[in-house]
Amino acid sequence: MIISLWRYSHLLLAISSAIFLLIASVTGIILALEPMSDVIKPYAIDNIEDITISETITALQKEYDEIIEITVEENDFVIASVVTKEGNDERIYVNPRTGEKLGVPERKSGVFKFATNLHRSLFLKGIGRFFVGLISLLLIFIVITGILLIGKRQGGILKFFSKVNKEYVNQFYHVVIGRWFFVPIIIIAFTGVYLSLEKFALLPKYEVPHRISAQTEQKKETIASISFPIFKKITLTNVKSIEFPFSDDVEDYFTLELINKELIVHQFSGNILSEQQYPFVKLVSYYSLLLHTGKGNVFWSVVLLVTCVAILFFMYSGFYMTVQRRKGSNLIYNIEDKDASEYIILVGSENGSTYTFANYLRSALLSVGKTVFVAELNAYTTYQEAKHIIAITATYGDGEAPTNAKRFNRLFSTIEPVNRLQFSVVGLGSLAYPEFCKFAEDIDEMFRRHSKFISSLSLEKINNKSTDDFKNWIQKWGVSVGVSLDTKTVIEDENWKRDVFKIIDKTYINTDNTFLLRLKPRDTSIDFRSGDLLAIRPEENMVERLYSIARIDGDVILSVKKHDLGVCSTYLSKVGKGDIIKAAIKHNVNFYFPSNTKDAILIANGTGIAPFLGMMKNKNRSTRVTLFWGVRTKKSIDIYNDFINFSLMKEGTRHIAYSRENNIYVQDLIRNETDSVINVLNRGGVVMICGSNDMLKGVISVLEKAVKNQLNVSLNTFIENEQIKIDCY
Amino acid sequence: MKTIFRIVLLTVSAVFTLVSFTSEPNTTSLKCMIQMVNYTGEGAYVVISLIKPEGEYNQTLYVQGKDSEWYSDITEWWKFYGKRRLDIDAISGATIAGGERTVSIIKIPKDRIDAGYKIRFETAVEDQEYYKKDVEFELTSETLASKVKGKGFIRYVRMLPQ
């Protein structure tokens, strides 16, 4: 299982409530506007906390025949039900200071009515209300699982608000926005559930039981209501409503509904006959309604609105992340059985992206006819035919094992491998985390301590899922285990952006079947350097071809070998000066010419010279460059003369092998010059190799021997510290 | 000619004055309070109607509830009102929820009192019951100031002549 239980729950809850949540959020956005639209109405009373009940009654009595009820709304609107001097009843907004009529309560506008209905019952009456309540409940669980996930990701609840590692926009903001908005969301969800429970009468019943004893009812004295001490004391800010006595019968009272209690007041004496505090359930209902609707508080209604927008974003980004993970984890399918495979790739992944990397390696191995078996680290077991084991793993949270690698530790200590195995570990992670690739380090250590495992390459840590770094590692690893791997066609960057280039120069096809192209990017601000790659896809859905390029005077220079069956090279051989092609620049930072090096040895065969053309042309004067190059004939180099005049290069810095004429290859030239190569490596200089994998193999074997004999270290040391840079295909 | 015109004008205005004055004294204003029982659910629709001695609807006096889409749920009254749908905006108010009370002024033609006419209170609540005769009693001089218990969503109705 790739996704942990919490994440699985988080996702499952989100999926099952998606449609309802979508409706609720969209209508929620509309409804959040209602309290805002109320505020602009001119009925709000300033300083309502200064106006007493008795002032209000005095003012209203002057203007109207009788007062039936006074209601104070959350937004400080005062509504009075009165009988006018003409004998009609009216429900109007009034100014409690003057009794002046301010307006008539309008009917809820159609949009809000529609949105309200959809929001709380989906137009399905009781059933709809039940569903909406249930979805609110699910939302609470979504928030809880979300909080747990953020806690895990950040490496503990205490680090909840520490820096978030950015993998991609949707993931980053899902976390960042999530850890702030969980507060309003949980408030909305909880109050939503509460209001639903109330509607379904599932809450304990509350009644405010007033008991009025017979004695207190006696009519002893008569005071005008405006002189009641209680009416002089209470101001409108505490009042929800005041019901006036229906008649002058002593059994008719004033009923005062305040924020937290209800009072029964004798209509003649002003005595409080009964005072009942509201039970907790009723207060919660009251505040739930306020918090859920934002009534009377513009600031909170803005928060509610933004929260609804945030929920929509969570839905979008959450599903986006899920799709991304699925893409990653669906890639493994093994052709060979575990006991029939020579290469075992073990994956430790929290969200599936590590599988993408495992798959690159797997494809590269399969393309050269190797048998590969991919499994999660938790499935570690014995492998009959295996010779190599490669663990590619992420680290989760605070240096912990990812979900599908949690059992590896225990399995490893109990399972004895059948054969001696060469191992190599790749850690994927982010330098932003303090425990960068910690789990990979742990695994590497475990293999290292085990007598049956031999290290083929030291631990590789890859930052921010860099495919370039991984590709580079594949090459290094291939060299160390003696397999030449083609990574160019295997690793693809899915979101590649193509640019437009104009062909401004093209050479003839020389005796090597090779020609040069000079392209000018239409967008001159494109960032690229010698050593980068140009990806060309002659037809859609085709595997792209990558060419190593040079940058000379802002133009792209590439060297193309025409293969009779090569679709891409045939396509390029047909384009002419002035034509437009679309291609993408891919950065290949591991093959850039170091800016501060004193000595560099460049080794190429055939078209592999391309990046070096730019490097040699643009290098510092103080940098000494020695070139080793293999072509077929003397005539082969003529097409390059526009860029480098090889005949002008200093004696001893130019070694060209003409395979057709002298039957000499690049590795033979190097064999004669091992001392100077060793010297350069020893002094901290770089060796860059570009060209075919066969050439690479030959060169590596020559160098390996030389390094071993003269320096008594492995060539891998130089590959690992990037003194030897490789870009072969 | 002039005098004829004056006479006509005078007569017309006299008739108008008479009509406008007579219409008022012909009705009695009643203060009417409806107290609801403590039910849970949506606000109740209440319709107050005058019923002829034969049992047919005569006039709609008051409607609690302004959303006309629910009017058809008050089935008996809808048969009467739904045909013509007179403007009842002036005699309608907001719905009232369980436990609440509402007080309104209703106007009854004087000739309907002590004439065998009845006043009927019909109630309906969304997704709940409909009571055709939640409260119904005959309009007499005595009942104009009375308290009558309800059978459905209404606990009691109280009336008081203004």
Side-chain angles (χ1 to χ4, degrees), chain A residues 54-291:
Chain A
S54 92
E55 273 177 72
T56 311
I57 296 176
T58 313
L60 290 175
Q61 275 176 346
K62 255 185 245 158
E63 296 288 322
Y64 308 100
D65 214 29
E66 192 185 336
I67 311 167
I68 295 167
E69 189 172 351
I70 296 170
T71 312
V72 183
E73 295 195 323
E74 287 76 13
N75 36 25
D76 293 346
F77 294 0
V78 178
I79 295 179
S81 291
V82 292
V83 179
T84 60
K85 297 226 154 106
E86 293 80 39
N88 298 315
D89 57 344
E90 270 191 341
R91 214 172 110 83
I92 47 174
Y93 288 118
V94 292
N95 181 338
R97 289 191 176 88
T98 61
E100 181 200 350
K101 173 177 172 177
L102 300 176
V104 181
E106 293 144 44
R107 294 170 68 175
K108 205 172 182 159
S109 93
V111 183
F112 292 137
K113 224 161 76 181
F114 178 84
T116 308
N117 212 327
L118 192 56
H119 188 81
R120 65 179 179 199
S121 70
L122 312 161
F123 289 106
L124 293 175
K125 297 184 179 175
I127 299 169
R129 277 178 186 262
F130 171 78
F131 265 111
V132 172
L134 187 69
I135 296 309
S136 291
L137 187 67
L138 292 185
L139 188 56
I140 295 180
F141 293 127
I142 293 174
V143 174
I144 293 171
T145 50
I147 292 171
L148 288 168
L149 284 171
I150 295 179
K152 276 229 132 210
R153 162 185 284 273
Q154 298 296 87
I157 282 292
L158 290 177
K159 294 181 189 160
F160 195 78
F161 285 104
S162 62
K163 189 175 173 289
V164 178
N165 172 42
K166 187 168 180 173
E167 284 166 39
Y168 47 88
V169 175
N170 280 326
Q171 166 271 343
F172 180 72
Y173 288 105
H174 199 89
V175 176
V176 170
I177 299 177
R179 61 188 184 175
W180 289 107
F181 275 90
F182 80 91
V183 181
I185 293 178
I186 210 153
I187 291 174
I188 291 174
F190 179 82
T191 52
V193 171
Y194 196 89
L195 294 172
S196 300
L197 288 178
E198 194 187 28
K199 278 292 170 217
F200 282 100
L202 291 174
L203 296 173
K205 282 238 178 203
Y206 53 80
E207 274 175 49
V208 186
H210 289 288
R211 286 214 176 76
I212 300 154
S213 53
Q215 300 118 322
T216 50
E217 281 176 21
Q218 285 166 10
K219 186 175 170 180
K220 285 175 189 163
E221 53 202 310
T222 305
I223 317 173
S225 60
I226 50 169
S227 309
F228 292 169
I230 180 87
F231 284 2
K232 285 184 162 172
K233 201 175 78 190
I234 299 175
T235 61
L236 292 189
T237 187
N238 292 315
V239 173
K240 276 157 86 179
S241 73
I242 306 167
E243 285 180 358
F244 284 68
F246 179 69
S247 71
D248 50 15
D249 190 312
V250 279
E251 280 184 38
D252 284 332
Y253 315 107
F254 282 100
T255 307
L256 272 68
E257 229 185 297
L258 305 181
I259 300 296
N260 57 351
K261 61 185 173 185
E262 204 169 286
L263 298 179
I264 302 282
V265 176
H266 194 280
Q267 68 160 312
F268 297 115
S269 70
N271 291 333
I272 298 171
L273 302 177
S274 170
E275 173 171 344
Q276 289 294 332
Q277 296 287 331
Y278 286 133
F280 182 68
V281 233
K282 172 138 181 169
L283 287 180
V284 176
S285 294
Y286 173 68
Y287 288 108
S288 287
L289 191 71
L290 288 195
L291 287 170

Side-chain angles (χ1 to χ4, degrees), chain B residues 24-162:
Chain B
E24 272 301 304
N26 271 343
T27 63
T28 293
S29 284
L30 290 175
K31 190 155 89 162
C32 170
M33 173 166 106
I34 303 167
Q35 172 69 53
M36 308 303 284
V37 296
N38 261 331
Y39 72 91
T40 40
E42 290 294 292
Y45 278 73
V46 183
V47 176
I48 311 175
S49 314
L50 264 185
I51 306 292
K52 289 180 193 164
E54 309 85 68
E56 287 157 28
Y57 284 90
N58 174 242
Q59 189 188 341
T60 305
L61 297 174
Y62 205 83
V63 180
Q64 296 282 1
K66 292 207 168 210
D67 284 337
S68 49
E69 70 218 59
W70 296 106
Y71 286 173
S72 56
D73 282 8
I74 312 157
T75 41
E76 284 300 312
W77 172 71
W78 181 248
K79 286 179 201 161
F80 163 72
Y81 167 78
K83 281 179 211 153
R84 292 194 286 156
R85 306 197 193 178
L86 296 170
D87 181 23
I88 50 167
D89 220 38
I91 49 162
S92 62
T95 58
I96 37 174
E100 288 183 23
R101 71 159 208 188
T102 179
V103 176
S104 46
I105 306 290
I106 56 175
K107 288 177 180 167
I108 296 174
K110 279 187 173 157
D111 56 6
R112 302 291 192 265
I113 300 164
D114 296 321
Y117 279 79
K118 286 179 178 169
I119 187 165
R120 175 185 291 174
F121 295 74
E122 268 163 274
T123 55
V125 172
E126 187 184 328
D127 291 339
Q128 296 186 41
E129 290 93 315
Y130 157 66
Y131 295 99
K132 182 185 165 189
K133 296 178 184 179
D134 202 327
V135 172
E136 188 176 87
F137 56 89
E138 203 177 317
L139 276 178
T140 63
S141 309
E142 292 83 55
T143 56
L144 287 188
S146 65
K147 176 174 171 179
V148 183
K149 283 194 175 167
K151 298 179 189 121
F153 294 111
I154 297 176
R155 172 164 295 148
Y156 59 81
V157 169
R158 277 178 75 184
M159 308 256 267
L160 203 64
Q162 279 297 85

Side-chain angles (χ1 to χ4, degrees), chain A residues 636-649:
Chain A
S636 302
I637 64 170
D638 290 349
I639 57 167
Y640 301 96
N641 278 338
D642 280 353
F643 303 105
I644 299 282
N645 197 333
F646 295 100
S647 55
L648 285 183
M649 285 179 80

Side-chain angles (χ1 to χ4, degrees), chain A residues 484 605 667 691-701 728-729:
Chain A
S484 62
N605 73 329
Q667 52 266 46
S692 72
N693 276 318
D694 286 343
M695 179 271 303
L696 175 68
K697 232 178 186 174
V699 169
I700 288 289
S701 79
C728 289
Y729 35 87

